[in-house]
Coordinates of all heavy atoms in Angstrom, one line a residue:
M1 N 82.9 84.8 112.8 CA 82.8 86.0 113.2 C 82.3 87.0 112.0 O 81.6 87.9 112.4 CB 84.2 86.5 113.7 CG 84.2 87.9 114.3 SD 83.5 87.9 116.0 CE 84.0 89.6 116.3
A2 N 82.9 86.8 110.9 CA 82.5 87.8 109.8 C 81.0 87.5 109.5 O 80.3 88.5 109.1 CB 83.4 87.3 108.5
D3 N 80.5 86.3 109.5 CA 79.1 86.0 109.3 C 78.1 86.8 110.3 O 77.1 87.3 110.0 CB 78.8 84.5 109.4 CG 79.4 83.8 108.1 OD1 79.6 84.4 107.1 OD2 79.6 82.6 108.1
E4 N 78.7 86.6 111.6 CA 77.8 87.4 112.6 C 77.8 88.9 112.4 O 76.8 89.5 112.4 CB 78.5 87.1 114.1 CG 78.4 85.8 114.5 CD 79.2 85.5 115.8 OE1 79.5 86.6 116.5 OE2 79.5 84.5 116.1
R5 N 79.0 89.5 111.9 CA 78.9 90.8 111.6 C 78.0 91.3 110.5 O 77.3 92.3 110.4 CB 80.4 91.4 111.4 CG 81.3 91.2 112.5 CD 80.9 92.4 113.5 NE 81.8 92.3 114.6 CZ 81.9 93.3 115.4 NH1 81.2 94.3 115.5 NH2 82.8 93.3 116.5
E6 N 78.0 90.4 109.5 CA 77.2 90.6 108.3 C 75.7 90.4 108.7 O 74.8 91.3 108.2 CB 77.5 89.6 107.1 CG 78.8 89.9 106.5 CD 79.1 88.8 105.4 OE1 78.1 88.2 104.9 OE2 80.3 88.8 105.0
T7 N 75.3 89.6 109.6 CA 74.0 89.6 110.0 C 73.6 90.7 110.8 O 72.4 91.2 110.7 CB 73.8 88.2 110.9 OG1 74.3 87.1 110.1 CG2 72.4 88.0 111.4
E8 N 74.3 91.2 111.6 CA 74.1 92.4 112.4 C 73.9 93.6 111.4 O 72.9 94.4 111.6 CB 75.2 92.9 113.4 CG 75.4 91.8 114.5 CD 76.6 92.2 115.4 OE1 77.3 93.2 115.1 OE2 76.9 91.4 116.3
L9 N 74.7 93.7 110.4 CA 74.5 94.8 109.4 C 73.2 94.6 108.7 O 72.5 95.6 108.5 CB 75.7 94.8 108.5 CG 75.7 95.9 107.4 CD1 75.8 97.2 108.1 CD2 77.0 95.7 106.5
E10 N 72.8 93.4 108.3 CA 71.6 93.2 107.5 C 70.5 93.5 108.4 O 69.4 94.1 108.0 CB 71.6 91.9 107.0 CG 72.5 91.5 105.9 CD 72.6 90.1 105.5 OE1 71.9 89.2 106.0 OE2 73.4 89.7 104.6
E11 N 70.4 93.1 109.7 CA 69.3 93.3 110.5 C 69.1 94.7 111.1 O 68.0 95.2 111.1 CB 69.4 92.3 111.8 CG 69.3 90.8 111.4 CD 69.6 89.9 112.6 OE1 69.9 90.4 113.7 OE2 69.3 88.7 112.4
D12 N 70.1 95.2 111.4 CA 70.1 96.5 112.1 C 70.4 97.7 111.2 O 70.2 98.8 111.5 CB 71.1 96.6 113.4 CG 70.7 95.4 114.3 OD1 69.4 95.1 114.5 OD2 71.6 95.1 115.1
G13 N 71.2 97.4 110.1 CA 71.6 98.5 109.1 C 72.9 99.2 109.8 O 73.3 100.2 109.2
V14 N 73.3 98.8 111.0 CA 74.6 99.4 111.6 C 75.5 98.4 111.9 O 75.1 97.3 112.5 CB 74.0 100.1 113.0 CG1 75.2 100.8 113.6 CG2 73.0 101.2 112.4
L15 N 76.7 98.5 111.7 CA 77.7 97.6 112.1 C 78.5 98.2 113.3 O 79.1 99.3 113.2 CB 78.8 97.3 111.0 CG 79.8 96.4 111.3 CD1 79.2 95.0 111.4 CD2 80.8 96.3 109.9
P16 N 78.4 97.6 114.5 CA 79.0 98.1 115.7 C 80.5 98.1 115.6 O 81.1 97.1 115.2 CB 78.5 97.3 116.8 CG 78.1 96.0 116.2 CD 77.7 96.3 114.8
V17 N 81.3 99.2 115.9 CA 82.6 99.4 115.8 C 83.1 99.7 117.2 O 82.9 100.8 117.7 CB 83.1 100.4 114.8 CG1 84.7 100.6 114.8 CG2 82.7 100.1 113.5
D18 N 83.8 98.8 118.0 CA 84.1 99.0 119.2 C 85.6 99.2 119.4 O 85.9 99.8 120.5 CB 83.8 97.6 120.1 CG 82.4 97.3 120.1 OD1 81.5 98.3 120.1 OD2 82.0 96.1 119.9
N19 N 86.4 99.0 118.5 CA 87.9 99.3 118.5 C 88.0 100.3 117.2 O 87.7 99.8 116.1 CB 88.7 98.2 118.3 CG 88.5 97.1 119.5 OD1 88.5 97.5 120.6 ND2 88.0 95.9 119.1
Y20 N 88.6 101.4 117.5 CA 88.7 102.3 116.4 C 89.9 103.4 116.6 O 90.2 103.6 117.7 CB 87.5 102.9 115.9 CG 86.8 103.9 117.0 CD1 87.1 105.2 117.1 CD2 85.9 103.3 117.9 CE1 86.5 106.0 118.2 CE2 85.3 104.0 118.9 CZ 85.6 105.3 119.0 OH 85.0 106.3 119.9
M21 N 90.4 104.0 115.6 CA 91.4 105.1 115.7 C 90.8 106.4 115.1 O 90.0 106.3 114.2 CB 92.7 104.7 114.9 CG 93.4 103.6 115.5 SD 94.9 103.1 114.6 CE 95.9 104.5 114.9
G22 N 91.2 107.4 115.8 CA 90.7 108.7 115.2 C 89.3 109.1 115.6 O 88.6 108.2 116.2
G23 N 88.8 110.2 115.1 CA 87.4 110.5 115.4 C 87.2 111.1 116.7 O 88.2 111.8 117.3
Q24 N 86.1 110.7 117.4 CA 85.9 111.2 118.8 C 85.7 110.0 119.7 O 85.2 109.0 119.1 CB 84.5 112.0 118.6 CG 84.4 113.2 117.9 CD 85.4 114.3 118.6 OE1 85.4 114.4 119.6 NE2 86.1 115.0 117.6
P25 N 86.0 110.2 120.9 CA 85.8 109.2 122.0 C 84.4 108.9 122.2 O 83.6 109.7 122.0 CB 86.4 109.6 123.1 CG 86.6 111.1 123.0 CD 86.6 111.4 121.5
S26 N 84.0 107.6 122.2 CA 82.6 107.4 122.4 C 82.2 107.5 123.9 O 83.0 107.5 124.8 CB 82.4 106.0 121.8 OG 83.0 105.0 122.7
Y27 N 80.9 107.4 124.1 CA 80.3 107.5 125.5 C 80.9 106.1 126.1 O 80.9 105.1 125.6 CB 78.8 107.5 125.4 CG 78.2 107.4 126.8 CD1 78.1 108.5 127.5 CD2 77.8 106.2 127.4 CE1 77.5 108.5 128.8 CE2 77.2 106.2 128.6 CZ 77.1 107.4 129.4 OH 76.6 107.2 130.5
P28 N 81.2 106.2 127.4 CA 81.2 107.3 128.4 C 82.3 108.1 128.4 O 82.3 109.0 129.4 CB 81.0 106.5 129.6 CG 81.9 105.3 129.4 CD 81.7 105.0 128.1
D29 N 83.3 108.1 127.6 CA 84.5 108.8 127.8 C 84.5 110.2 126.9 O 85.5 110.6 126.4 CB 85.7 108.1 127.5 CG 87.0 108.6 127.9 OD1 87.1 109.2 129.0 OD2 87.8 108.9 126.9
R30 N 83.4 110.8 126.8 CA 83.3 112.0 126.0 C 84.2 113.2 126.5 O 84.7 113.9 125.7 CB 81.9 112.5 125.8 CG 80.9 111.4 125.1 CD 79.9 112.1 124.4 NE 78.9 111.2 123.9 CZ 79.0 110.6 122.8 NH1 80.0 110.8 122.0 NH2 78.1 109.7 122.3
S31 N 84.3 113.2 127.7 CA 85.2 114.4 128.2 C 86.6 114.1 128.0 O 87.3 114.9 127.6 CB 84.9 114.6 129.8 OG 85.2 113.4 130.5
G32 N 87.1 112.8 128.3 CA 88.5 112.5 128.1 C 89.5 113.4 128.7 O 89.3 114.1 129.7
Y33 N 90.5 113.6 127.9 CA 91.5 114.7 128.4 C 91.2 115.9 127.8 O 90.8 115.9 126.5 CB 92.9 114.3 128.0 CG 93.4 113.2 129.0 CD1 93.5 111.9 128.6 CD2 93.9 113.6 130.2 CE1 94.0 110.9 129.4 CE2 94.5 112.6 131.1 CZ 94.4 111.2 130.7 OH 95.0 110.4 131.6
E34 N 91.3 117.1 128.4 CA 91.0 118.4 127.7 C 92.1 118.7 126.7 O 93.1 118.2 126.6 CB 90.8 119.5 128.9 CG 89.8 119.1 129.8 CD 88.3 119.0 129.2 OE1 88.0 119.8 128.3 OE2 87.6 118.1 129.8
A35 N 91.6 119.7 125.8 CA 92.6 120.2 124.9 C 93.9 120.8 125.6 O 93.7 121.2 126.7 CB 91.9 121.3 124.0
P36 N 95.0 120.8 125.1 CA 95.2 120.3 123.7 C 95.5 118.9 123.4 O 96.0 118.6 122.3 CB 96.7 121.1 123.5 CG 97.3 121.1 124.8 CD 96.1 121.2 125.7
W37 N 95.2 118.0 124.4 CA 95.3 116.6 124.1 C 94.4 116.2 123.1 O 93.2 116.6 123.1 CB 95.1 115.7 125.4 CG 96.2 116.0 126.4 CD1 96.4 116.9 127.3 CD2 97.4 115.1 126.5 NE1 97.6 116.7 128.0 CE2 98.2 115.5 127.4 CE3 97.8 113.9 125.8 CZ2 99.4 115.0 127.9 CZ3 98.9 113.3 126.1 CH2 99.8 113.9 127.2
R38 N 94.8 115.1 122.1 CA 93.9 114.7 121.1 C 93.6 113.3 121.2 O 94.5 112.4 121.6 CB 94.6 114.9 119.7 CG 94.8 116.5 119.5 CD 95.6 116.7 118.2 NE 94.8 116.0 117.2 CZ 95.3 116.0 115.9 NH1 96.2 116.6 115.5 NH2 94.5 115.5 115.0
F39 N 92.4 112.9 121.0 CA 92.1 111.5 121.0 C 92.7 110.8 120.0 O 92.8 111.1 118.8 CB 90.4 111.4 120.9 CG 90.0 109.9 120.8 CD1 89.9 109.2 121.9 CD2 89.6 109.5 119.5 CE1 89.4 107.8 121.7 CE2 89.2 108.2 119.4 CZ 89.1 107.4 120.6
F40 N 93.2 109.5 120.4 CA 94.0 108.8 119.3 C 93.2 107.4 119.0 O 93.1 107.1 117.8 CB 95.4 108.5 119.9 CG 96.2 107.8 118.9 CD1 96.3 108.0 117.6 CD2 97.1 106.7 119.5 CE1 97.1 107.3 116.6 CE2 97.9 106.1 118.6 CZ 97.9 106.2 117.2
F41 N 92.9 106.6 120.0 CA 92.1 105.3 119.7 C 91.4 104.8 120.8 O 91.6 105.3 122.1 CB 93.1 104.3 119.2 CG 94.1 103.8 120.2 CD1 93.8 102.8 121.1 CD2 95.3 104.3 120.2 CE1 94.7 102.4 122.1 CE2 96.3 103.7 121.1 CZ 95.9 102.8 122.1
R42 N 90.5 103.9 120.6 CA 89.7 103.2 121.6 C 89.8 101.7 121.5 O 89.7 101.2 120.4 CB 88.2 103.6 121.4 CG 87.3 102.9 122.6 CD 85.9 103.1 122.3 NE 85.0 102.7 123.4 CZ 84.7 101.6 123.5 NH1 84.9 100.6 122.7 NH2 83.8 101.2 124.6
L43 N 90.0 101.1 122.5 CA 89.9 99.6 122.6 C 88.8 99.2 123.4 O 88.5 99.7 124.5 CB 91.3 99.1 123.3 CG 92.5 99.4 122.4 CD1 93.7 98.9 123.3 CD2 92.5 98.7 121.1
D44 N 88.2 98.0 123.0 CA 87.0 97.5 123.7 C 87.3 96.3 124.5 O 88.3 95.6 124.1 CB 85.9 97.3 122.7 CG 84.5 96.9 123.4 OD1 84.1 97.6 124.4 OD2 83.9 95.9 123.0
H45 N 86.7 96.1 125.5 CA 86.7 94.8 126.3 C 85.9 93.7 125.5 O 84.8 93.8 125.1 CB 85.9 94.9 127.8 CG 85.6 93.7 128.2 ND1 86.6 93.0 129.0 CD2 84.4 92.9 128.3 CE1 86.0 91.7 129.5 NE2 84.6 91.8 129.0
E46 N 86.8 92.6 125.0 CA 86.1 91.6 124.2 C 86.7 90.2 124.7 O 87.8 90.0 124.8 CB 86.4 91.8 122.8 CG 85.9 93.0 122.2 CD 86.2 93.1 120.7 OE1 86.3 92.1 120.1 OE2 86.3 94.2 120.2
D47 N 85.7 89.4 125.2 CA 85.9 88.1 125.7 C 86.5 87.2 124.4 O 85.9 87.4 123.4 CB 85.0 87.4 126.3 CG 84.6 88.1 127.6 OD1 85.5 88.6 128.3 OD2 83.3 88.1 128.0
G48 N 87.4 86.4 124.6 CA 87.8 85.5 123.6 C 88.9 86.0 122.6 O 89.4 85.3 121.6
D49 N 89.2 87.1 122.7 CA 90.3 87.7 121.7 C 91.5 87.1 122.1 O 91.8 86.7 123.3 CB 90.3 89.3 121.9 CG 89.3 89.9 121.1 OD1 88.5 89.3 120.3 OD2 89.2 91.2 121.3
P50 N 92.6 87.0 121.2 CA 93.8 86.3 121.5 C 94.5 87.2 122.4 O 95.4 86.7 123.2 CB 94.5 86.4 120.0 CG 93.6 86.7 119.0 CD 92.3 87.3 119.7
Y51 N 94.3 88.5 122.5 CA 95.0 89.3 123.5 C 94.0 90.0 124.3 O 93.6 91.2 124.1 CB 95.8 90.4 122.6 CG 96.8 89.8 121.7 CD1 96.4 89.9 120.4 CD2 97.9 89.2 122.1 CE1 97.4 89.2 119.4 CE2 98.8 88.7 121.2 CZ 98.5 88.6 120.0 OH 99.3 88.1 119.1
F52 N 93.4 89.3 125.2 CA 92.3 89.7 126.0 C 92.8 90.8 127.0 O 93.7 90.8 127.7 CB 91.8 88.5 126.9 CG 90.7 88.9 127.9 CD1 89.4 89.2 127.4 CD2 90.9 88.9 129.2 CE1 88.5 89.6 128.3 CE2 90.0 89.3 130.1 CZ 88.8 89.6 129.7
L53 N 92.0 92.0 126.9 CA 92.1 93.1 127.9 C 90.9 93.1 128.7 O 89.8 93.3 128.1 CB 92.3 94.4 126.9 CG 93.5 94.4 126.1 CD1 93.5 95.7 125.2 CD2 94.8 94.3 126.8
N54 N 91.1 93.4 129.9 CA 89.9 93.3 130.9 C 89.6 94.7 131.3 O 90.4 95.1 132.2 CB 90.1 92.3 131.9 CG 88.9 92.2 132.8 OD1 87.9 92.9 132.7 ND2 89.0 91.4 133.8
F55 N 88.7 95.4 130.7 CA 88.3 96.6 131.2 C 86.9 96.6 132.0 O 86.3 97.6 131.9 CB 88.1 97.6 129.9 CG 89.4 97.8 129.2 CD1 89.5 97.6 127.8 CD2 90.6 98.4 129.9 CE1 90.7 97.8 127.2 CE2 91.7 98.6 129.2 CZ 91.7 98.3 127.8
A56 N 86.6 95.5 132.4 CA 85.4 95.2 133.1 C 84.1 95.7 132.3 O 83.3 96.4 132.8 CB 85.3 95.9 134.4
D57 N 84.1 95.2 131.1 CA 83.0 95.6 130.2 C 83.0 97.1 129.8 O 81.9 97.6 129.3 CB 81.6 95.1 130.6 CG 81.4 93.6 130.7 OD1 82.0 93.0 129.8 OD2 80.8 93.1 131.6
G58 N 84.0 97.7 130.0 CA 84.3 99.2 129.6 C 85.1 99.4 128.3 O 85.3 98.3 127.4
G59 N 85.9 100.3 128.3 CA 86.9 100.6 127.2 C 88.0 101.3 127.7 O 88.0 101.9 128.7
G60 N 89.0 101.2 126.8 CA 90.4 102.0 127.0 C 90.4 103.0 126.1 O 90.1 102.8 124.8
Y61 N 91.0 104.2 126.3 CA 91.2 105.3 125.5 C 92.5 105.9 125.6 O 93.2 106.0 126.6 CB 90.2 106.4 126.0 CG 88.7 105.9 126.0 CD1 88.2 105.3 127.0 CD2 87.9 106.1 124.8 CE1 86.9 104.8 127.0 CE2 86.6 105.7 124.8 CZ 86.1 105.1 126.0 OH 84.9 104.7 126.0
A62 N 93.0 106.2 124.4 CA 94.4 106.8 124.3 C 94.3 108.2 123.7 O 93.5 108.5 122.9 CB 95.4 105.9 123.4
Y63 N 95.3 109.0 124.2 CA 95.4 110.3 123.8 C 96.8 110.7 123.5 O 97.7 110.2 124.2 CB 94.8 111.3 124.9 CG 93.3 111.2 125.2 CD1 92.8 110.0 126.1 CD2 92.4 111.8 124.6 CE1 91.6 109.9 126.3 CE2 91.1 111.6 124.7 CZ 90.6 110.7 125.6 OH 89.3 110.4 125.9
L64 N 97.1 111.7 122.6 CA 98.3 112.1 122.3 C 98.4 113.6 122.6 O 97.6 114.4 122.4 CB 98.5 111.9 120.8 CG 98.7 110.5 120.3 CD1 98.9 110.5 118.9 CD2 99.8 109.8 121.0
S65 N 99.7 114.1 123.1 CA 100.0 115.4 123.3 C 100.1 116.1 121.9 O 100.2 115.4 120.8 CB 101.3 115.6 124.1 OG 102.4 115.1 123.3
P66 N 100.0 117.5 121.9 CA 100.1 118.1 120.6 C 101.3 117.9 119.7 O 101.3 117.9 118.6 CB 100.0 119.8 121.0 CG 99.4 119.7 122.4 CD 99.8 118.3 123.0
D67 N 102.5 117.7 120.4 CA 103.7 117.4 119.7 C 103.9 115.9 119.5 O 104.8 115.6 118.8 CB 104.9 117.9 120.5 CG 105.1 117.3 121.8 OD1 104.3 116.3 122.2 OD2 105.9 117.7 122.6
R68 N 102.9 115.1 119.8 CA 102.9 113.6 119.6 C 104.1 113.0 120.2 O 104.5 111.9 119.8 CB 102.7 113.4 118.2 CG 101.4 113.9 117.6 CD 101.2 113.5 116.1 NE 100.1 114.1 115.7 CZ 99.8 114.4 114.3 NH1 100.7 114.1 113.5 NH2 98.7 114.9 114.0
L69 N 104.6 113.5 121.2 CA 105.7 112.8 121.9 C 105.4 112.3 123.2 O 106.2 111.5 123.8 CB 107.0 113.9 122.2 CG 107.5 114.5 120.9 CD1 108.5 115.5 121.3 CD2 108.2 113.4 120.1
E70 N 104.1 112.4 123.6 CA 103.7 111.8 124.9 C 102.3 111.2 124.6 O 101.4 111.8 124.0 CB 103.7 112.9 126.1 CG 103.2 112.3 127.3 CD 103.2 113.3 128.4 OE1 103.8 114.5 128.3 OE2 102.8 113.1 129.5
G71 N 102.0 110.2 125.3 CA 100.7 109.5 125.3 C 100.1 109.2 126.6 O 101.0 109.2 127.5
R72 N 98.8 109.2 126.6 CA 98.2 108.9 128.0 C 97.0 107.9 127.7 O 96.5 108.0 126.7 CB 97.5 110.1 128.6 CG 98.7 111.1 129.0 CD 98.1 112.2 129.9 NE 99.1 113.0 130.2 CZ 98.9 114.3 131.0 NH1 97.8 114.6 131.3 NH2 99.9 115.0 131.2
F73 N 96.9 107.0 128.5 CA 95.9 105.9 128.4 C 95.0 105.9 129.6 O 95.6 105.8 130.9 CB 96.5 104.6 128.2 CG 95.6 103.5 127.8 CD1 95.1 103.4 126.4 CD2 95.2 102.6 128.8 CE1 94.1 102.3 126.1 CE2 94.2 101.6 128.4 CZ 93.9 101.5 127.1
K74 N 93.7 105.8 129.4 CA 92.8 105.7 130.6 C 91.8 104.5 130.2 O 91.6 104.3 129.0 CB 92.3 107.0 131.0 CG 91.2 107.6 130.0 CD 90.7 108.9 130.3 CE 89.5 108.6 131.1 NZ 88.8 109.9 131.5
W75 N 91.1 104.0 131.3 CA 90.1 103.1 130.9 C 88.9 103.4 131.9 O 89.0 104.0 132.9 CB 90.6 101.7 131.0 CG 90.9 101.3 132.5 CD1 90.1 100.8 133.4 CD2 92.2 101.5 133.1 NE1 90.8 100.6 134.6 CE2 92.1 101.0 134.3 CE3 93.4 102.0 132.6 CZ2 93.3 101.0 135.2 CZ3 94.5 102.0 133.5 CH2 94.4 101.4 134.7
E76 N 87.8 102.9 131.4 CA 86.5 103.1 132.2 C 85.8 101.8 132.2 O 85.6 101.1 131.2 CB 85.6 104.2 131.6 CG 86.2 105.6 131.6 CD 85.3 106.7 131.2 OE1 84.4 106.3 130.5 OE2 85.4 107.8 131.4
A77 N 85.3 101.4 133.3 CA 84.6 100.2 133.5 C 83.1 100.6 133.5 O 82.6 101.6 134.0 CB 85.0 99.5 134.9
A78 N 82.3 99.5 132.8 CA 80.9 99.9 132.7 C 80.2 99.5 134.0 O 80.5 98.7 134.8 CB 80.4 99.1 131.5

């Protein structure tokens, strides 16, 4: 897996990141939950992972309330 990622980086100059925390939600979930909810993390649909999550080739998105006492999770299928 690491060799595949290094090859992608060498060929394209970009390393795809499908699972991440913080920042902004990626397309297609740009709208997400409106303020004051804050984007927290994104999980990608990946076959073969030890903990397979089936988002039908889409992604899952988590949001936190302003006081960080409540979370919401939604997913989008591609």
Side-chain angles (χ1 to χ4, degrees):
M1 181 81 171
D3 291 337
E4 291 175 19
R5 294 290 184 167
E6 288 178 19
T7 301
E8 290 175 7
L9 182 59
E10 290 172 4
E11 290 176 357
D12 303 329
V14 176
L15 185 61
V17 178
D18 300 322
N19 301 305
Y20 60 91
M21 292 180 69
Q24 297 293 320
S26 64
Y27 179 82
D29 192 52
R30 294 213 191 272
S31 61
Y33 286 100
E34 300 299 324
W37 288 88
R38 296 179 53 183
F39 174 72
F40 184 41
F41 66 83
R42 179 186 193 274
L43 296 175
D44 188 43
H45 161 85
E46 295 184 30
D47 293 327
D49 280 351
Y51 306 103
F52 175 71
L53 299 172
N54 186 354
F55 297 125
D57 290 328
Y61 302 86
Y63 295 85
L64 292 176
S65 64
D67 60 7
R68 298 183 181 159
L69 296 176
E70 184 179 351
R72 293 186 180 174
F73 187 81
K74 66 183 266 187
W75 66 92
E76 295 186 340

